[in-house]
Amino acid sequence: MDMARAIEHGQLEQAINGHWSPLYPLLIAAFIEPIGTAPSLEFATVRVLNFLVFLVTIGAFHFVLTRLWDRAQLTAKPPEASPLLSRSQVLLAGYALLAWGCFDLTVVSRISPDLCVAAVTFASAALFLSLEDQTASVTTFALFGAVLGIGYLLKAIFFPLAFLFLLAAACACLAYRADRRLLLSAAVFLVIAAPLVGALSLKYGHLTFGESGRNTFRTDVLMMPLVHWQGGPSDHGLPEHPTRKLLDNPDVYEFAQPISATYPPWYDPTYWNKGAVLHFGTWDYGRALLRNVKRLAVLLWFAIPLGIALALLRRPLALEMSAPLPIKLLGLVAAANLLLYLVLLVEPRYLAGCLPLLGLVVLVSLRTQLTRRRPIGAALVALLITGVAIDAGPRLARTAADLVRSRGHVHADAWLVADELFRIGIHPGTPVAAIDHQDQMHWSVASISDWAFLAQVKIVSEAFPSDPLNQKEFWDVSLTRQALALDVFRRAGARIVVASGVPSTANTEGWSRIGTTDYYYKLL
């Protein structure tokens, strides 16, 4: 949202960021430009944009779903091995997978490009399957490359993924019949991607298509701090321009300059962490890989038992996996997409495209020689839908209950904080300090950024223990140290400090509570 607001104000250079890709902020900027800078209208407008993306995602998914079914009927296996699922069963199971991706792996309302990436993944897969069609035109090949390029502009992961799609197309022997047209796909992709690659490489001083992978390796493999890295361990180098640490016990940092944003430490992590030396360590990497495997197993809790059951019943049900080469290659691309995340960081929203696509490939590839196959297919689809309902249902039910209970007037704590800051006269652009309780239940960066963006203020300093397990937080230190920290905030330029997640045992004398929330503030 910070990038979008800057772009909307004509600062196009803000679109070049090593951690955040430019296309989604550009889309947001185009949508919010007519309505001004009222945060409530901005967020409502972005939700409209996300709903339109959701509709595009449904269309792209239906496109790939029908193409997969059509292609699966061209299997080279003898006719006695028929598809386990009928067309209607594949549609039901497919849309259950889509619901899982849109309402559980990610959320339609989330302000992130992940749903856009899912839509582009489905569209790329559908166009890939269309290339083998004898009637495929030059336009189809050009569109294939353009969609891959759009994917890269939405998220850096699509740069290697685009080459996997192109390699899969070549392996499907398309190059032997339409070499020039496949080269056109590659050329269109490179034309779209090259300007961003060039701009990022110039900005950061080395050839790069994005810095998010490097940042993720730093934080989730080497377990270096997400923000406020001050150097160390000894073999990981020193930051060239870190945030400024002003106090110990509690740790207080200042970061008003040179980046102007709602929460500068997370606006461009590459800037603050320049100088980090990343080493590949077997122990570090093994630990991260095991953690990601566990996360993936949790996400697939209902799919893993289904897979085991099908494997055990393979002979009694005369099951086999068979599909034309393009579908097999598409399955490999989807699996490789999953692997790209598995080796670094598994987050559910990242997988909203590849996991449903991989599930579709498996479903259309299942075949059996049994004549009474429809009841088996129906049971499989019913189990899949039940698993998705159990997974996504509670979240949807809670959301519906909140809407009914509040009659549509749902206000998160971040909105209440912003309203209170407006009420007491804190104007947009005011420098503010932040204190957030550190735990494993929420992401501190997002917690602070949400209310600060809604209030249109700038966080310039914060109390942040880089190691909450071994360092004291603001509310754990003596009142004398707390007063010293507040004075440091004041000298850093903050006019008010906002604290979130304040424990019930904290001494909040002199602080003002915001409604019934766990947010407090104090004028400096």
Side-chain angles (χ1 to χ4, degrees), residues 1-3 5 255 259-267 430 432 434 445 448-461:
M1 291 295 290
D2 268 346
M3 290 174 66
R5 189 176 281 175
F255 37 81
I259 295 175
S260 177
T262 299
Y263 184 73
W266 196 238
Y267 185 82
T430 299
V432 175
V445 169
I448 295 172
S449 300
D450 286 349
W451 61 258
F453 184 85
L454 290 170
Q456 302 185 64
V457 296
K458 305 295 184 184
I459 306 297
V460 299
S461 183

Side-chain angles (χ1 to χ4, degrees), residues 236-381:
H236 290 326
L238 293 170
E240 294 185 13
H241 20 66
T243 55
R244 276 74 63 183
K245 189 173 186 180
L246 305 180
L247 184 68
D248 290 308
N249 190 34
D251 293 348
V252 175
Y253 300 88
E254 180 271 328
F255 37 81
Q257 298 294 334
I259 295 175
S260 177
T262 299
Y263 184 73
W266 196 238
Y267 185 82
D268 189 358
T270 305
Y271 171 81
W272 300 107
N273 297 289
K274 185 178 181 181
V277 179
L278 308 184
H279 297 292
F280 181 88
T282 303
W283 166 252
D284 291 329
Y285 197 75
R287 177 183 56 189
L289 187 60
L290 180 60
R291 182 173 63 248
N292 288 335
V293 170
K294 289 180 178 178
R295 289 177 177 175
L296 183 61
V298 171
L299 291 178
L300 298 176
W301 69 267
F302 63 89
I304 292 175
L306 276 178
I308 294 174
L310 288 174
L312 293 176
L313 296 173
R314 180 182 178 185
R315 287 190 175 182
L317 299 180
L319 288 176
E320 58 183 68
M321 294 282 291
S322 177
L325 180 60
I327 293 182
K328 293 178 181 177
L329 290 170
L330 183 59
L332 288 176
V333 171
N337 189 358
L338 173 61
L339 185 62
L340 287 173
Y341 285 117
L342 192 64
V343 298
L344 279 179
L345 174 63
V346 167
E347 288 285 347
R349 58 193 176 93
Y350 299 163
L351 311 179
C354 64
L355 281 184
L357 180 60
L358 193 57
L360 273 184
V361 170
V362 171
L363 289 175
V364 301
S365 301
L366 286 173
R367 306 181 78 82
T368 181
Q369 296 183 16
L370 296 181
T371 55
R372 291 181 55 81
R373 57 185 180 276
R374 293 297 176 257
I376 302 172
L380 176 60
V381 172

Side-chain angles (χ1 to χ4, degrees), residues 80-304:
E80 60 265 19
S82 302
L84 176 64
L85 304 182
S86 66
R87 190 177 191 277
S88 58
Q89 289 172 343
V90 168
L91 287 173
L92 281 173
Y95 276 100
L97 290 172
L98 177 64
W100 178 49
C102 293
F103 301 127
D104 190 60
L105 296 181
T106 188
V107 181
V108 174
S109 61
R110 187 193 300 274
I111 302 178
S112 79
D114 298 297
L115 192 59
C116 298
V117 173
V120 172
T121 300
F122 300 145
S124 300
L127 288 168
F128 166 77
L129 293 173
S130 300
L131 298 183
E132 194 186 19
D133 195 326
Q134 296 293 335
T135 61
S137 65
V138 172
T139 303
T140 303
F141 282 82
L143 185 60
F144 179 54
V147 170
L148 295 178
I150 290 170
Y152 168 58
L153 297 183
L154 285 166
K155 206 161 190 176
I157 189 70
F158 235 92
F159 191 83
L161 188 57
F163 285 100
L164 290 174
F165 268 111
L166 292 169
L167 179 61
C171 290
C173 300
L174 294 174
Y176 293 107
R177 299 198 309 270
D179 53 332
R180 292 183 180 178
R181 294 191 296 174
L182 191 56
L183 288 174
L184 175 63
S185 299
V188 171
F189 164 71
L190 291 174
V191 166
I192 294 174
L196 180 57
V197 172
L200 289 171
S201 300
L202 287 173
K203 180 175 181 177
Y204 295 110
H206 60 272
L207 183 63
T208 179
F209 62 85
E211 296 291 293
S212 55
R214 179 181 174 86
N215 288 325
T216 301
F217 187 88
R218 180 182 62 81
T219 58
D220 289 271
V221 175
L222 300 181
M223 303 304 292
M224 296 166 69
L226 193 69
V227 292
H228 306 312
W229 176 58
Q230 303 294 297
S234 58
D235 59 341
H236 290 326
L238 293 170
E240 294 185 13
H241 20 66
T243 55
R244 276 74 63 183
K245 189 173 186 180
L246 305 180
L247 184 68
D248 290 308
N249 190 34
D251 293 348
V252 175
Y253 300 88
E254 180 271 328
F255 37 81
Q257 298 294 334
I259 295 175
S260 177
T262 299
Y263 184 73
W266 196 238
Y267 185 82
D268 189 358
T270 305
Y271 171 81
W272 300 107
N273 297 289
K274 185 178 181 181
V277 179
L278 308 184
H279 297 292
F280 181 88
T282 303
W283 166 252
D284 291 329
Y285 197 75
R287 177 183 56 189
L289 187 60
L290 180 60
R291 182 173 63 248
N292 288 335
V293 170
K294 289 180 178 178
R295 289 177 177 175
L296 183 61
V298 171
L299 291 178
L300 298 176
W301 69 267
F302 63 89
I304 292 175

Side-chain angles (χ1 to χ4, degrees), residues 435-439 442 447 473 475 499-504 506 517-520:
I435 302 170
D436 188 51
H437 176 61
Q438 303 296 301
D439 57 35
H442 76 293
S447 176
E473 297 189 39
W475 300 105
S500 53
V502 178
S504 58
T517 71
D518 59 5
Y519 284 81
Y520 289 74

